[in-house]
Amino acid sequence: MSRANIGIYGLGVMGSALALNLAEQGFDVAVTNREVSWIADFVAEAGPLAERLHPHSELSAFVSGLKTPRVILFMIPSGAPMDSMIAAVTPLLEAGDTIIDGGNANFHDTRRRAEALGQQDLHFVGMGVSGGEKGARHGPSMMVGGTAHSWTQLEPMLRAIAAKYEGVPCVAHLGPDGAGHFVKTVHNGIEYADMQMIAEAYGLMRFGLGMSAPEIGAQFEAWDKGPLRSYLVEITGALLQYEEAGVPFVDHIRDAAGQKGTGRWTVIEALQMGQSASMIEAAIGARSWSSEKVLRERLGVQYGAGRGAVSVSLDQIADALMAGRILAYAQGFRILRQAAEEYNWPLDFARIAQIWRAGCIIRAALLDDIAEAFENSASHGGQLLEAEAIAAKLQAALPRLRAVAGAALGAGHPAPALSSAVSFFDSLRIGSGTANIIQAQRDFFGRHGFERLDQEGKHHGPWWD
């Protein structure tokens, strides 16, 4: 019996798509699933690719059917299910084998698992996979964390199945243990912010300018042909032009957004490291508030839910989205920069930007400029906002971001992400801010002390004399 190059446990949407992608690229794939009844149906529906698929109903046979050193990709829910599967499979493995968690796992769990398995001479990889079902099937963006040994095993297969940008695979080994999962977490945080800003722009156009959903869809479609080109702008333009029973299809959808937790993790980790993720937090807050629809309806009656007309142009909204997107990426890369120092990860920011240019949800034309900025980072120390090309784009668009955010707030339109973008930028660009008042307050009530501009050391105010 021929042995498979890789095993995939978990034949849900993503696992099935990745298995077919690998088979299509000429790799033999062992497959199994907790619900064994799924296996035969999956293989039957694979068509000609079925000859590359090796189904197994028992875990032991699945492991035995792999070439050594073995590579097993788990596409299952994160958390306790992953720990249970590690406990079940490790007795069947040998030194040098690699286990991959391809889900949206908390990177702290990934670090813990990598350390524990390393003591058994087993390798644990945390791999972020972006692109949804279509990406997994035809070319995702993948962010890999793990040992050099595991990357040697994985690289040929992952480069073959990855999305390609101008022929270059959108996959990279980013560092040890949890590096890949952390980068995917921040990717998702940026995704939250971008989606929220697009939703805010839609709200201004629909309720502030009186445009119809199809008109707005056509506008997003036009924007996708220019500097704002991105996957999220593209799909927004498409989905707004669907109708059902003569009504825009989006009007049939309850305005209560869901979330799976990765955005929250981004904010939590940023705060733990003393960094700002204010735009991502604004997007998470907006989703949380949206789920309280009954309360929102009551408060609308109590306080009035009117949204006034806004005096902004479509060009201004487009530039506001561009400025907001630049600032969202800037926040994301600042978090990555801090994590690289905190966890001693050799994160290559230019390479991260490059692998996000195809296959993933946040792929955007702007990433070309970001990648180039980080390739020339010697001039700005890795701070995206100091890169000349990025600064030029932001300075050109910033006045319109201010105008749009101000018009939204003045007319009663919620714009938490766009407003946070302005505040984030203004807080960073003011050389002399107002934190001296906070330091004085802290010293006044708690004798915490402060630094002086004109003297070294720690000082207290005259209120303690």
Side-chain angles (χ1 to χ4, degrees):
M1 180 182 69
S2 62
R3 294 192 172 188
N5 303 101
I6 186 172
I8 294 184
Y9 187 107
L11 295 176
V13 171
M14 294 293 285
S16 298
L18 287 170
L20 294 174
N21 191 346
L22 283 158
E24 192 168 60
Q25 295 302 321
F27 298 101
D28 286 299
V29 186
V31 294
T32 191
N33 196 70
R34 180 180 177 182
E35 296 83 0
V36 295
S37 61
W38 293 17
I39 303 171
D41 289 342
F42 168 67
V43 174
E45 293 170 5
L49 295 177
E51 58 186 48
R52 289 283 186 182
L53 302 175
H54 305 267
H56 299 278
S57 58
E58 298 291 336
L59 184 62
S60 58
F62 168 73
V63 173
S64 297
L66 295 170
K67 293 178 180 178
T68 56
R70 300 174 184 86
V71 177
I72 302 176
L73 170 59
F74 285 95
M75 296 301 296
I76 61 176
S78 59
M82 189 66 209
D83 284 326
S84 296
M85 285 309 309
I86 290 173
V89 77
T90 48
L92 305 173
L93 301 180
E94 299 173 344
D97 290 350
T98 292
I99 297 172
I100 311 160
D101 180 357
N104 282 329
N106 188 306
F107 84 104
H108 289 298
D109 289 338
T110 305
R111 298 187 78 217
R112 168 179 57 80
R113 292 164 182 155
E115 182 179 4
L117 288 170
Q119 294 173 5
Q120 304 174 56
D121 201 14
L122 297 173
H123 300 263
F124 188 79
V125 169
M127 184 173 76
V129 181
S130 181
E133 179 182 5
K134 289 183 179 179
R137 177 64 185 86
H138 301 290
S141 171
M142 291 171 287
M143 295 140 264
V144 182
T147 63
H149 167 88
S150 59
W151 177 241
T152 298
Q153 291 179 277
L154 289 170
E155 184 178 9
M157 291 184 283
L158 297 186
R159 287 177 62 86
I161 68 169
K164 307 296 189 298
Y165 184 84
E166 296 181 352
V168 179
C170 291
V171 60
H173 180 219
L174 301 175
D177 53 71
H181 272 153
F182 188 86
V183 172
K184 177 56 162 58
T185 296
V186 174
H187 163 288
N188 286 19
I190 296 169
E191 178 184 310
Y192 274 51
D194 206 353
M195 292 173 72
Q196 177 62 30
M197 289 186 290
I198 287 172
E200 291 170 16
Y202 159 79
L204 286 172
M205 296 160 75
R206 186 83 187 268
F207 307 110
L209 296 179
M211 296 173 64
S212 69
E215 288 173 334
I216 300 170
Q219 184 60 61
F220 273 96
E221 197 174 73
W223 284 339
D224 192 50
K225 295 179 173 63
L228 278 176
R229 179 171 55 82
S230 70
Y231 175 71
L232 288 170
V233 168
E234 174 192 339
I235 65 169
T236 303
L239 65 87
L240 282 170
Q241 297 183 70
Y242 281 86
E243 292 188 353
E244 183 177 276
V247 175
F249 189 83
V250 291
D251 290 351
H252 294 292
I253 300 174
R254 181 179 173 87
D255 61 323
Q259 53 186 309
K260 292 185 176 180
T262 46
R264 286 197 299 271
W265 294 345
T266 307
V267 174
I268 291 168
E269 296 306 324
L271 293 175
Q272 291 279 11
M273 294 185 294
Q275 281 295 321
S276 166
S278 58
M279 294 177 66
I280 300 167
E281 195 283 327
I284 293 166
R287 292 195 188 193
S288 299
W289 302 328
S290 76
S291 68
E292 300 183 73
K293 186 168 178 63
V294 174
L295 173 62
R296 290 190 287 117
E297 290 173 340
R298 291 204 309 267
L299 292 177
V301 172
Q302 183 175 359
Y303 291 98
R307 288 169 282 190
V310 292
S311 297
V312 294
S313 68
L314 295 177
D315 285 344
Q316 284 178 305
I317 293 174
D319 281 350
L321 283 175
M322 175 56 74
R325 178 172 286 169
I326 290 171
L327 291 167
Y329 276 111
Q331 278 196 0
F333 277 102
R334 281 168 56 83
I335 297 167
L336 291 175
R337 187 171 181 264
Q338 189 65 35
E341 295 180 11
E342 187 91 4
Y343 299 105
N344 196 28
W345 290 334
L347 297 183
D348 183 336
F349 306 131
R351 188 72 188 113
I352 290 169
Q354 288 165 356
I355 66 173
W356 285 350
R357 293 183 299 183
C360 77
I361 302 300
I362 62 170
R363 58 185 184 265
L366 179 63
L367 283 163
D368 281 333
D369 298 307
I370 292 174
E372 185 176 351
F374 281 121
E375 285 174 340
N376 302 316
S377 62
S379 63
H380 54 78
Q383 290 283 358
L384 186 61
L385 293 181
E386 290 188 281
E388 290 185 8
I390 298 298
K393 284 181 177 291
L394 182 58
Q395 287 175 328
L398 192 65
R400 290 181 163 185
L401 172 62
R402 294 188 189 283
V404 170
L409 295 177
H413 296 265
L418 291 171
S419 301
S420 292
V422 176
S423 295
F424 165 63
F425 175 77
D426 284 342
S427 296
L428 277 186
R429 74 175 179 86
I430 300 296
S432 297
T434 56
N436 53 339
I437 300 301
I438 295 170
Q439 287 297 82
Q441 291 170 337
R442 294 178 70 243
D443 186 63
F444 197 102
F445 67 66
R447 202 180 175 90
H448 293 291
F450 48 77
E451 295 179 350
R452 290 182 59 126
L453 295 172
D454 55 351
Q455 299 176 28
E456 293 184 357
K458 183 177 180 180
H459 301 271
H460 296 286
W463 38 83
W464 287 106
D465 291 344

